[in-house]
Amino acid sequence: MGGDGLSRLLHNDNVRYEVLPAKATEDKVLAHVPRDVVVTVTASPVKGLEPTLDLAGRLAAHGYRVVPHVPARLLRDDRHLKEVVDRLREAGVDDVFVPAGDADPPAGAYDGALPVLRRLSELGSPFPRVGVTGYPESHPLIHDDVTVQAMWDKREHATYIVSNLCFDPRVLGEWVARIRRRGVTLPVYVGVAGPVQRAKLLAMATKIGVGESTRFLTKHASWFLRFATPGGYSPERLLERAEPALTAPAADVPGLHLFTFNQIAETERWRRTLMDRLAA
C-alpha cells in the first residue's frame, strides 16, 4: 500500500466520521474522536430531524466540527427550513449535508435536495459549506445519468460531494473520472465503510433500525453479505486498490467519509493503526 496519498486522505483535517444519533453516540464521540475530525450526523425518516439537530448542537458545544444531515423530505415547508437554519447557526454549525432522504411520503413540499439548496441560496447561503450526495454504484431507483446530471444541477448551490458506499475500486475510480469528464468540479469526499463487525452491526441495526446508513444497507443485500462473510470486506484492501484513482490530482478527492455505523472506537483504532502502518 502506498503512503503519502492515503495518509493525507486519512488525516484528522481531511477525514469525516458519519455517526447515527443514538443514545450513546455523544459519549462514544467524546471518548474516541479527536476534536479536529469532522463528525457528520445522519437523520432518520421515522425519528425526524430533532435527534440530529440535538446531537449536532451538543457536539458543536464540545468543540467538534459538526455536519448535520438535513434531508429534503423531512422538511415540512420553508418556515421549517428557516427554523432549522437558525437553530444550527446559533449552535455554531457552518456546514450541512443535504440529501433528498427517503421519507415516503415526504413531510412537506420538498421531494428532492435541489429545491432546498435553491432555497438556502435565496436565504443568503447561511452555511459556507454545503454537501450533496454522489452515487458511484447505481442508485436502486435512479438512472446513473440522472444522478450525474443532478450533481451538475446542484453545483451552483453546493461546495462538495460525498459519495455513497462503494465496494468496487474499479467502479469508484471510473465514477470519479466520469463526473470530472462531465464537468462536475466539486471536491469529492469518498465514502468508505469502516472496519464493520457483523455482530455489532446487527445489534446497532436492531436498536436504530431506520438510520439512513442502515436503510441503505438493507436496500443492498449483497453489500450486507460483504460485511457478513469472513474476509468479505476489508477497508484497507479497497483503499489499496483504489489509491491511484483517489490520489490523482485530477480526481480532487480531499479526504474520506467513513461510515462508522456507530462502531466509533473501532473505526478510530483502525484509522490510527493504518496511518501508523503507512508512516512506517
Side-chain angles (χ1 to χ4, degrees):
M1 185 181 289
D4 292 346
L6 285 178
S7 292
R8 174 182 62 82
L9 299 181
L10 288 160
H11 192 270
N12 287 24
D13 291 337
N14 300 324
V15 76
R16 300 156 56 95
Y17 279 7
E18 179 177 298
V19 303
L20 296 97
K23 184 177 181 180
T25 304
E26 180 180 4
D27 290 340
K28 289 182 178 181
V29 170
L30 290 173
H32 303 291
V33 180
R35 291 296 197 280
D36 53 350
V37 168
V38 170
V39 178
T40 78
V41 185
T42 67
S44 160
V46 171
K47 295 183 179 179
L49 274 173
E50 182 56 35
T52 300
L53 301 177
D54 181 57
L55 179 58
R58 285 186 278 121
L59 290 177
H62 288 300
Y64 284 97
R65 295 183 290 161
V66 186
V67 183
H69 291 209
V70 183
R73 296 170 71 91
L74 288 183
L75 294 166
R76 296 187 297 274
D77 48 32
D78 286 355
R79 180 178 178 180
H80 186 202
L81 174 59
K82 183 64 165 55
E83 291 172 354
V84 169
V85 168
D86 291 344
R87 180 171 174 180
L88 292 176
R89 292 298 294 160
E90 288 175 7
V93 171
D94 62 2
D95 189 344
V96 293
F97 179 66
V98 183
D102 52 6
D104 188 15
Y110 296 122
D111 61 356
L114 185 56
V116 174
L117 296 169
R118 287 173 173 158
R119 184 61 182 142
L120 287 174
S121 294
E122 291 169 359
L123 291 173
S125 300
F127 303 104
R129 291 175 55 79
V130 177
V132 295
T133 309
Y135 297 97
E137 295 193 1
S138 296
H139 189 283
L141 301 176
I142 309 173
H143 191 278
D144 289 349
D145 285 339
V146 176
T147 63
V148 175
Q149 181 65 42
M151 284 184 287
W152 172 261
D153 293 338
K154 296 170 186 174
R155 73 194 186 284
E156 295 179 1
H157 309 283
T159 61
Y160 64 92
I161 296 166
V162 176
S163 77
N164 226 316
L165 283 172
C166 179
F167 296 98
D168 187 325
R170 179 188 58 80
V171 170
L172 183 57
E174 290 177 352
W175 174 76
V176 172
R178 181 185 178 200
I179 66 172
R180 296 311 182 212
R181 287 195 304 270
R182 288 283 296 271
V184 177
T185 60
L186 296 176
V188 174
Y189 288 87
V190 170
V192 176
V196 180
Q197 296 179 21
R198 177 171 173 258
K200 289 192 175 183
L201 179 62
L202 288 171
M204 183 277 298
T206 300
K207 291 180 180 178
I208 300 172
V210 290
E212 284 190 350
S213 298
T214 310
R215 288 173 66 89
F216 201 80
L217 280 178
T218 57
K219 291 179 181 177
H220 295 76
S222 63
W223 292 14
F224 190 87
L225 289 175
R226 291 177 187 262
F227 292 131
T229 305
Y233 172 69
S234 164
E236 297 99 320
R237 187 166 60 245
L238 172 65
L239 291 173
E240 178 180 13
R241 294 174 179 174
E243 179 184 8
L246 302 187
T247 58
D252 193 11
V253 175
L256 299 179
H257 182 97
L258 296 180
F259 294 84
T260 70
F261 301 103
N262 277 19
Q263 295 183 33
I264 297 167
E266 295 85 347
T267 301
E268 175 63 7
R269 185 162 54 246
W270 166 82
R271 183 178 73 97
R272 288 290 177 183
T273 300
L274 180 54
M275 290 182 67
D276 289 345
R277 189 185 311 160
L278 292 170

